[in-house]
Amino acid sequence: MFAHPETDRWWISGQANWISQWHPAFHSPYEGARSLSPQAQDATSRVLTLFTGVRLTNTNELICDVQETGGHGIGEAVGLAGVTNLDIVRNPDLSKAPYIARLMWHHIIPLSDKKIDSSRSPLSLFSSLPERRIEVRFGKFSIVDFFDTNTYGTDTTFQFMNWTVDNYGAYDYAADTRGFTFAAMFEYHERRWTVRFAEALMPKVANGIHLDADMGRARAENIEFEVHGGVLRHQEGIIRFLSFVNHANMGSYREAIDNFLAGIKSKPDITRSSPANNGQIRIRREFRATAQ
């Protein structure tokens, strides 16, 4: 929208995404309520984003982004193992009114005098940063704004649209329906390596719009360690190790299937397994490594 000189304290930019998809009719020997419809479908979704930010001091900034979503996607985000339009996951059955997508405070704690260049973006307005530093972020943002990122497939607004390509398919990061959460994140940066940790709120129900503020009952921890360096001659590379733990009131797939096989239930129902009813906490852990 406006030029953003390196010395500018303000950032204002916008982005508009329209995704149109279609599939022909196909034969389906069985069909359920959550299946992809075998009838031909076409649908168009939209996501409109206003990015704003202000650098308050040389070590503090405030980021605020507003979004409006609408339209539809084929299957309304169900019926496919890898949803082909990640944008539609943010808006089925939700209000079309604009909402605050991100509202976060970003603080830099310098640990060295040496500065390195930094590319300004809607998520950080600093044009240079201390080589050794601690970064603190607090507020509302998406965990995958900073975790599980890579150059080639981490942003549906510029790259792949499929959910399981844009984000690691098994990475069940804390998020509401639209993909955001309230969290505190800490990063420690050295010249050749970085470690980041985030504590985030989980939704009250899976993929729900409301987050659970009782962290004694539900929360998520994410930790990522990355190493920078020359993997091949004259080629820079990054290796990342990511692990996460989710604590929440989640049902048990194993128990739901066992209840069906034992004849206790007429069909597997994850919402009827005991953890979802008696308040037990189930924990999911995952570890992965990626190279870039």
Side-chain angles (χ1 to χ4, degrees):
M1 289 184 177
F2 305 98
H4 296 103
E6 292 299 302
T7 56
D8 200 345
R9 291 184 175 274
W10 295 88
W11 182 285
I12 303 177
S13 65
Q15 187 165 350
N17 268 38
W18 281 271
I19 298 177
S20 292
Q21 295 182 329
W22 167 86
H23 77 72
F26 59 88
H27 173 65
S28 177
Y30 59 88
E31 183 181 353
R34 308 289 285 179
S35 300
L36 183 66
S37 172
Q39 285 78 39
Q41 283 187 324
D42 66 273
T44 299
S45 66
R46 73 173 183 274
V47 176
L48 311 178
T49 308
L50 176 66
F51 300 98
T52 69
V54 57
R55 182 164 51 85
L56 303 171
T57 67
N58 290 332
T59 57
N60 288 281
E61 63 182 0
L62 186 65
I63 304 295
C64 180
D65 301 339
V66 179
Q67 280 188 341
E68 187 272 339
T69 60
H72 300 275
I74 57 172
E76 297 292 349
V78 299
L80 295 169
V83 179
T84 57
N85 178 359
L86 181 53
D87 280 355
I88 196 60
V89 176
R90 302 174 184 173
N91 66 359
D93 303 321
L94 296 179
S95 168
K96 305 303 187 234
Y99 57 91
I100 300 295
R102 298 177 183 87
L103 180 60
M104 64 176 167
W105 168 67
H106 183 201
H107 177 60
I108 305 295
I109 302 174
L111 300 177
S112 68
D113 295 329
K114 184 178 179 180
K115 297 281 188 176
I116 58 172
D117 292 335
S118 177
S119 298
R120 284 161 50 88
S121 75
L123 297 178
S124 180
L125 313 186
F126 298 111
S127 58
S128 66
L129 291 166
E131 185 178 61
R132 292 180 59 245
R133 65 191 183 277
I134 295 173
E135 296 190 34
V136 181
R137 287 181 173 86
F138 179 79
K140 185 181 182 183
F141 53 88
S142 175
I143 290 293
V144 290
D145 286 339
F146 308 103
F147 287 81
D148 195 35
T149 64
N150 67 74
T151 302
Y152 308 104
T154 192
D155 186 349
T156 55
T157 57
F158 293 107
Q159 299 164 327
F160 299 105
M161 297 174 293
N162 190 297
W163 194 351
T164 52
V165 176
D166 180 67
N167 300 131
Y168 173 49
Y171 186 18
D172 190 16
Y173 56 90
D176 62 13
T177 308
R178 291 185 168 116
F180 301 98
T181 185
F182 284 92
M185 190 178 88
F186 305 88
E187 292 182 283
Y188 177 75
H189 291 260
E190 282 279 0
R191 185 172 69 91
R192 286 296 184 186
W193 59 272
T194 301
V195 61
R196 59 182 58 89
F197 172 81
E199 187 84 26
L201 299 185
M202 292 284 288
K204 291 184 176 181
V205 297
N207 299 320
I209 193 61
H210 300 294
L211 298 169
D212 193 338
D214 186 348
M215 298 190 68
R217 178 174 56 201
R219 65 188 185 279
E221 287 92 32
N222 299 260
I223 187 166
E224 186 174 60
F225 178 74
E226 66 180 45
V227 180
H228 309 259
V231 177
L232 301 175
R233 189 178 181 184
H234 306 305
Q235 296 291 327
E236 284 293 312
I238 301 175
I239 297 177
R240 296 184 177 91
F241 302 89
L242 169 65
S243 181
F244 71 94
V245 180
N246 291 339
H247 309 255
N249 184 10
M250 297 180 281
S252 168
Y253 285 98
R254 181 179 299 277
E255 185 173 337
I257 293 171
D258 288 346
N259 287 342
F260 167 72
L261 294 176
I264 300 173
K265 302 293 183 182
S266 60
K267 61 181 180 180
D269 187 349
I270 187 64
T271 66
R272 298 297 180 181
S273 61
S274 60
N277 290 330
N278 62 23
Q280 295 179 18
I281 300 300
R282 288 198 171 263
I283 300 173
R284 176 173 179 180
R285 297 181 175 89
E286 187 80 22
F287 171 79
R288 71 172 300 211
T290 59
Q292 178 180 318

